[in-house]
Amino acid sequence: MDQAIVQIRELSKLYRHGDIEVVALNSISLDIGRGEFVALMGPSGSGKSTLLHIIAGIDRPTSGRCVVEGTDVSELGETALAAWRKQHVGFVFQTFNLIPVLTAFENVELPLLLTGLSGRERRDHVEAALELVGLADRMKHLPRQLSGGQEQRVAIARALVTDPTLLVADEPTGNLDAHSAAEVLGLLQTLNSAAGKTVVMVTHDPKAAAHAKRMVHLEKGELLNGGGS
Amino acid sequence: MAIPLKYNLRNLRVRWRSTIATALGIALTVAVFVMVMALARGLKATYVNTGDARNLLVMRKGSTAESSSQIERSKVLRFKYHDEIARNERGDPVASPEIIVLIQLDRIDGGNANVLVRGIGPIGLELRPNVKLVEGRLFQPGLAECIVSRKIAARFAHCRVGETFRAGKRTWRVAGIFDATKTTYESEIWTDADEVREAFSRSFYGSVLLRPTDEAAGAALIKRLEVNKDLFVRVLPESEYYKEQTKNAGPIQFMGGFLAIIMSIGAAFAAMNTMYAAVGARTREIGTLRVLGFRRRDIYLSFLLESVLLALVGGGLGCLASLPINGLATGTMSWTTFSEVAFEFRITGELLLKGMTFAVVMGVLGGLLPARVAAQKPVLDALRSV
Ligand SMILES: Nc1ncnc2c1ncn2[C@@H]1O[C@H](COP(=O)(O)OP(=O)(O)O)[C@@H](O)[C@H]1O
Ligand SMILES: [Mg+2]
């Protein structure tokens, strides 16, 4: 394995509801190497999303460390975290989460608005990203004019347009039919093998997980086999 | 760069029903505001137009209006021939002792109203070159004749040339009609001052309007008359006097402003409601934007701006709705003479800008809290919402 891009050490996450404590993650340690394609698997409620959110810098651990590309994400303040996110992570949601009133092009352009790129440069990047996901001909379409599979591919284009090293996806095929799911998984695979993106994908579907190079199983907030595949 | 404006504009368009409903509330408020201010401005402009800076008005000391001023005939004679006062080609001093009385006349469309009758000296018209006879001829002193303004002729019965009406002890015949557009004279009837005094049993004049030979003479005359304790008069440029009278617009302005503020509170609450609904409906979008790297501040600004855009739509509609009244003639009660003053609504670019600013204020007030709520949503909660 190359140098680890994600280093997780004794990471725990507790949720407290009055007197009741829910342990979402229990002292997890895990390394993810550069260029890996990891499938995070496990039954519902096992803590997959929680772990993914912490890696992506949109949630904080209760204890332990999560170092991504040399930055301890758990130590960043909110504004720094937002800045860090836009640079290092592309996030793909189960529900696509495209902005309904913006076209495919404008949706993909959104993260670039936070960079110093000129309009011309942004256009080039957006077109390249949409080309990569095979939707160059749908740039002017609104989300509701696209199929679910196409929406998710636009969302993937949006996640990778800033050229992040880490692509994280939470059940990216959960809302898709088998055909579209296969397309999206194939795309993630290509991005991983051809473009060298590190991909962390949460899924509970073994067929989806089969596209990954490595599988990590979670159960009740703990890693099975200590994170080995 | 922040969240693009088109995001807000398109959201406003997508929920066009609520956008229009809210914008109409703001539009109504802005329209009322602009109209009332246009009314006040029109009224003020009419007063300001009336006064001629070259003329001086002499009133009794302590008087703030012609209608409450009294000057004895003998006192007039004591300063009428002062050297500072200009003379006309016949060698008469350009000074017009005047008196104002209120009479009631029947309106053409039923009911009656107070009308101001101004008794003027023979020189009275020379002092007011803007007033022009447009029909008939000037009244002849001693024959109970009068001239009426175009507006009075149009609105009151028995006021056309040749017709007669009763007022005081006399029956007055209309000899002519004059045009005094955009001045308060447009709401008056003029006749001879001494006949008015006789018909209405007044031993005094009300005021004297005069023209000094030049500005310096005017200043000297003011001093000369005002230091004379015996005369007991106040002398000021006619333009100053009418500028003072613009306070007549005060009550309208106050009531209009009050109404606009009450309405704006309602409109701002409506905008707030709409924006709360928008924030609620777009919670997951907010979460997504945050994950993409937009900060709380960006979200806050975006929703605040959306509220302002909404208000601008309303403001624009309100301004458009108010435009047709520009130049429209109307009348109001003057609080100093208790007669009707005719004037025109006056909408200026500056007033429209004020209307738009007013709309923006409503938009900001309506948007502040919803935008705050939007910005403070925790990212994960926002993402989970459906
Ligand atoms: N905001 C929260 N408050 C309380 N409990 C939570 C919260 N988020 C997640 N949990 C709990 O943490 C555990 C892990 O959740 P999650 O990571 O979403 O699981 P998965 O994605 O594997 O289905 C679950 O038991 C869930 O109920
Ligand atoms: Mg989950």
Side-chain angles (χ1 to χ4, degrees):
Chain A
M1 195 197 291
D2 272 339
Q3 158 216 5
I5 189 171
V6 180
Q7 292 177 306
I8 294 165
R9 293 290 173 273
E10 287 164 21
L11 191 81
S12 293
K13 178 74 181 179
L14 303 178
Y15 287 106
R16 194 168 280 118
H17 281 282
D19 295 344
I20 311 160
E21 239 178 36
V22 179
V23 183
L25 295 174
N26 189 7
S27 190
I28 284 182
S29 295
L30 176 70
D31 279 355
I32 296 172
R34 193 175 295 277
E36 274 202 282
F37 185 168
V38 178
L40 259 181
M41 300 191 61
S44 182
S46 56
K48 307 182 296 290
S49 294
T50 306
L51 182 56
L52 197 71
H53 290 152
I54 293 174
I55 294 173
I58 52 183
D59 201 356
R60 284 165 203 282
T62 313
S63 66
R65 302 199 315 140
C66 177
V67 179
V68 182
E69 284 205 283
T71 307
D72 191 342
V73 181
S74 47
E75 278 179 354
L76 291 180
E78 184 157 32
T79 313
L81 207 52
W84 177 84
R85 265 202 306 270
K86 76 182 181 204
Q87 232 180 343
H88 296 278
V89 214
F91 203 105
V92 179
F93 307 88
Q94 179 176 353
T95 48
F96 325 140
N97 289 13
L98 296 180
I99 306 296
V101 296
L102 298 182
T103 63
F105 181 96
E106 290 160 348
N107 264 287
V108 177
E109 192 187 21
L110 270 178
L112 294 181
L113 296 176
L114 293 163
T115 66
L117 294 182
S118 71
R120 174 82 239 155
E121 291 168 317
R122 290 203 303 269
R123 167 166 293 273
D124 291 345
H125 281 71
V126 173
E127 282 172 1
L130 280 168
E131 197 125 349
L132 202 60
V133 301
L135 289 173
D137 55 339
R138 299 295 154 91
M139 287 199 286
K140 298 217 167 86
H141 286 54
L142 289 171
R144 65 179 148 77
Q145 297 166 319
L146 299 170
S147 73
Q150 289 171 332
E151 277 197 74
Q152 192 60 300
R153 277 146 66 198
V154 172
I156 291 172
R158 180 176 67 183
L160 58 83
V161 73
T162 51
D163 198 24
T165 26
L166 192 59
L167 208 58
V168 300
D170 195 347
E171 311 257 13
T173 58
N175 282 18
L176 296 178
D177 59 64
H179 176 72
S180 303
E183 261 181 9
V184 164
L185 288 165
L187 180 57
L188 288 176
Q189 233 173 354
T190 312
L191 288 171
N192 171 249
S193 56
K197 298 281 169 215
T198 309
V199 181
V200 182
M201 175 179 73
V202 163
T203 182
H204 60 255
D205 175 11
K207 264 196 262 162
H211 288 76
K213 290 181 187 160
R214 175 182 166 203
M215 291 184 218
V216 174
H217 290 267
L218 268 176
E219 207 161 314
K220 292 182 182 150
E222 302 194 17
L223 281 183
L224 299 185
N225 322 324
S229 51
Chain B
M1 204 190 297
I3 299 166
L5 267 185
K6 62 187 166 203
Y7 168 68
N8 307 105
L9 286 171
R10 287 186 203 163
N11 271 302
L12 287 173
R13 203 175 61 197
V14 164
R15 55 179 159 96
W16 61 272
R17 276 171 224 274
S18 88
T19 299
I20 288 182
T22 313
L24 282 182
I26 293 171
L28 195 67
T29 311
V30 170
V32 165
F33 171 78
V34 170
M35 287 186 194
V36 172
M37 292 305 149
L39 194 137
R41 272 157 199 247
L43 183 56
K44 280 185 183 174
T46 299
Y47 280 114
V48 170
N49 276 338
T50 307
D52 188 327
R54 295 170 300 175
N55 294 344
L56 291 181
L57 184 68
V58 184
M59 293 188 292
R60 187 176 65 171
K61 194 160 263 171
S63 291
T64 52
E66 275 179 289
S67 51
S68 59
S69 164
Q70 293 182 350
I71 298 178
E72 288 105 338
R73 238 174 81 80
S74 57
K75 282 189 183 162
V76 174
L77 291 174
R78 276 164 59 191
F79 63 79
K80 192 175 172 184
Y81 296 96
H82 281 347
D83 285 341
E84 294 90 339
I85 299 175
R87 304 280 172 131
N88 67 7
E89 55 270 27
R90 287 186 307 262
D92 297 329
V94 185
S96 166
E98 308 197 337
I99 179 153
I100 281 172
V101 294
L102 267 192
I103 63 169
Q104 277 206 344
L105 282 184
D106 295 330
R107 285 188 140 141
I108 284 175
D109 52 9
N112 52 39
N114 284 341
V115 175
L116 203 138
V117 173
R118 179 183 297 274
I120 62 177
I123 299 287
L125 246 86
E126 282 175 42
L127 282 158
R128 298 170 174 103
N130 290 336
V131 178
K132 303 228 158 53
L133 265 183
V134 290
E135 209 186 314
R137 54 171 174 79
L138 195 57
F139 60 86
Q140 267 191 32
L143 300 180
E145 287 182 340
C146 66
I147 56 176
V148 305
S149 75
R150 202 140 55 171
K151 201 147 272 161
I152 298 269
R155 285 166 73 159
F156 290 91
H158 320 300
C159 283
R160 279 174 304 188
V161 174
E163 296 185 322
T164 58
F165 58 87
R166 245 198 107 69
K169 297 178 198 152
R170 309 287 291 266
T171 298
W172 305 86
R173 217 179 74 87
V174 178
I177 291 172
F178 66 86
D179 172 54
T181 312
K182 294 185 178 163
T183 70
T184 58
Y185 300 141
E186 191 61 32
S187 314
E188 294 182 359
I189 293 176
W190 287 3
T191 182
D192 178 68
D194 290 324
E195 270 181 289
V196 170
R197 289 198 306 118
E198 188 193 308
F200 294 88
S201 317
R202 308 280 162 94
S203 53
F204 303 94
Y205 290 113
S207 59
V208 178
L209 188 67
L210 55 83
R211 172 81 49 90
T213 51
D214 55 38
E215 220 172 299
L221 187 63
I222 291 177
K223 219 177 248 165
R224 183 166 172 197
L225 297 187
E226 286 199 339
V227 294
N228 189 335
K229 293 239 162 54
D230 230 23
L231 278 177
F232 199 64
V233 291
R234 173 186 182 210
V235 187
L236 74 173
E238 193 191 17
S239 52
E240 289 293 309
Y241 170 76
Y242 280 100
K243 221 170 268 164
E244 266 181 29
Q245 298 307 303
T246 59
K247 70 171 184 286
N248 274 304
I252 297 174
Q253 220 164 359
F254 177 79
M255 283 192 315
F258 186 73
L259 187 67
I261 284 173
I262 297 290
M263 288 178 70
S264 72
I265 292 172
F269 267 108
M272 184 158 82
N273 231 7
T274 311
M275 289 312 297
Y276 266 131
V279 169
R282 272 149 56 196
T283 299
R284 199 142 54 98
E285 279 175 53
I286 295 168
T288 306
L289 289 167
R290 293 286 305 282
V291 171
L292 292 181
F294 288 97
R295 293 159 302 174
R296 288 186 192 281
R297 200 191 320 167
D298 300 318
I299 305 287
Y300 182 82
L301 268 179
S302 180
F303 276 91
L304 191 58
L305 247 136
E306 188 165 317
S307 184
V308 169
L309 286 173
L310 176 62
L312 283 175
V313 172
L317 287 176
C319 286
L320 277 181
S322 65
L323 274 184
I325 67 153
N326 188 28
L328 208 71
T330 184
T332 185
M333 178 79 120
S334 153
W335 301 104
T336 42
T337 60
F338 294 101
S339 63
E340 220 185 30
V341 183
F343 62 95
E344 288 172 5
F345 284 93
R346 217 160 94 146
I347 296 180
T348 58
E350 185 232 343
L351 182 54
L352 292 178
L353 198 71
K354 275 194 178 156
M356 291 306 277
T357 311
F358 188 37
V360 168
V361 169
M362 282 184 267
V364 169
L365 289 180
L368 279 176
L369 287 176
R372 211 175 122 96
V373 167
Q376 295 201 326
K377 279 184 198 292
V379 181
L380 281 176
D381 292 0
L383 280 179
R384 278 198 198 94
S385 97
V386 223

